[in-house]
Amino acid sequence: MNIVVTGGAGFIGSNFVYYLLKKRPYDRIICYDCLTYAGNYETVMPALAKPNFRFIKGDITDREQVAKLFRTEEPDVVVNFAAESHVDRSIANPDVFLKTNIIGTSVLMDACRDFGIVRYHQVSTDEVYGDLPLDRPDLFFTEMTPLHTSSPYSASKASADLLVMAYHRTYGLPATISRCSNNYGPYHFPEKLIPLMIVKALAGEKLPVYGDGKNVRDWLYVEDHCAAIDLILEKGRIGEVYNIGGHNERANIDVVKTILRALGKGEELIDFVPDRLGHDRRYAIDPAKISEELGWLPETKFDEGISRTIQWYLDNRDWWENILSGEYKKAYEKAAKGKLAYSTL
């Protein structure tokens, strides 16, 4: 099969690319990424050595580019990771989130209809459900939980999900959706909580924690997420939504303290800062549906996953230091000059 992974140079998308290259050596994997600030060409450069991998720089909101992608690569499956995903940035500038996350999704699905793909899969988020109260640990998000968004980011993702379901119902598009809890692991862009805290702790800098730090998230190790998506592609029912959760709930402040202990740093580095606008209090996913229907369960407990993640950042300082310096933005152009990269379609 030919599998297009949009947003494949981002955090979860790149992990999915490497997962597919390992599990599906006979399928062609095409990474399509616009290389905005969070897309890092250096992340996928090692994959260029694989004969069944191709990188193409392109924008999912550009209909002409996307049509050329489909004509050239003839995809059987499209997995859409491409998204603007940082909540703070969506509060400051909602427009780009609406364009990428909603219009980009519609452009991809129109191409899927025109070229007759076998499956379109939309990677979504638990943030479309809003939040849960801290004093009700018995409550969890299920696939039947009403959408109740809190930020321009989550509203744009919920809108995309509704559009996917509308395309399935109206046009018969063979689509599925997954909604995941907070991911962590290798290649996580260092503006998000876990990598940001690791990088700042290593530098001996203050660690900014929103509000009282008691906001709770359900943490999912990224490789477990990749396995779940692959399983949905293989066995998931068309037209269905599957929640993917880690059953690893932690308060943000506890995550930060865990990182400090692992790095031998003191809690005096914690700096409580004004809370984010509309900050959700608790996310928690019930993954019963994907477990019962497809047999998926998360394999990585948080203590194991956070240890692996911290070690990865210790072992790959060049990767995140290039991001902090901005040097990573030059990687594609440098590779293109050396004919190591593929040009824009």
Side-chain angles (χ1 to χ4, degrees), residues 2 11 14 21 36 41 49 60 74 82 105 108 128 130 143 146 149 153 163 207 220 251 257-258 262 274 318 329 345:
N2 295 332
F11 165 43
S14 63
L21 288 172
T36 58
Y41 184 67
I60 63 169
E74 300 181 338
T105 297
L108 284 175
V128 301
E143 289 81 0
T149 61
Y153 161 61
L163 199 59
L207 278 57
L220 175 68
K257 289 179 179 179
T258 296
D318 287 349
K329 295 179 181 178
L345 289 169

Side-chain angles (χ1 to χ4, degrees), residues 61-134:
T61 68
D62 187 319
R63 289 188 181 274
E64 183 177 344
Q65 275 190 352
V66 170
K68 288 180 179 178
L69 168 73
F70 276 66
R71 282 196 296 271
T72 303
E73 303 301 330
E74 300 181 338
D76 302 293
V77 173
V78 175
V79 183
N80 183 27
F81 290 93
E84 295 286 344
S85 65
H86 195 248
V87 175
D88 290 351
R89 289 176 183 265
S90 80
I91 294 170
N93 182 20
D95 288 358
V96 67
F97 286 73
L98 306 183
K99 181 180 179 182
T100 300
N101 298 354
I102 303 173
I103 300 303
T105 297
S106 71
V107 169
L108 284 175
M109 291 192 297
D110 285 339
C112 287
R113 290 176 55 221
D114 291 342
F115 290 89
I117 55 91
V118 175
R119 175 72 66 85
Y120 173 85
H121 183 76
Q122 177 77 3
V123 180
S124 187
T125 170
D126 59 358
E127 294 191 43
V128 301
Y129 297 123
D131 63 355
L132 298 166
L134 292 177

Side-chain angles (χ1 to χ4, degrees), residues 302-339:
F302 184 78
D303 288 345
E304 176 190 353
I306 195 66
S307 178
R308 282 193 218 165
T309 301
I310 292 170
Q311 190 59 51
W312 189 89
Y313 279 86
L314 290 172
D315 293 340
N316 293 273
R317 293 185 71 106
D318 287 349
W319 181 85
W320 55 264
E321 285 178 347
N322 280 352
I323 291 177
L324 297 182
S325 69
E327 191 67 22
Y328 78 107
K329 295 179 181 178
K330 304 174 184 176
Y332 180 80
E333 286 72 20
K334 288 181 179 178
K337 289 178 181 178
K339 298 183 179 179

Side-chain angles (χ1 to χ4, degrees), residues 161-173:
D161 286 3
L162 293 173
L163 199 59
V164 172
M165 298 310 294
Y167 268 62
H168 167 66
R169 180 166 180 171
T170 302
Y171 304 114
L173 183 73

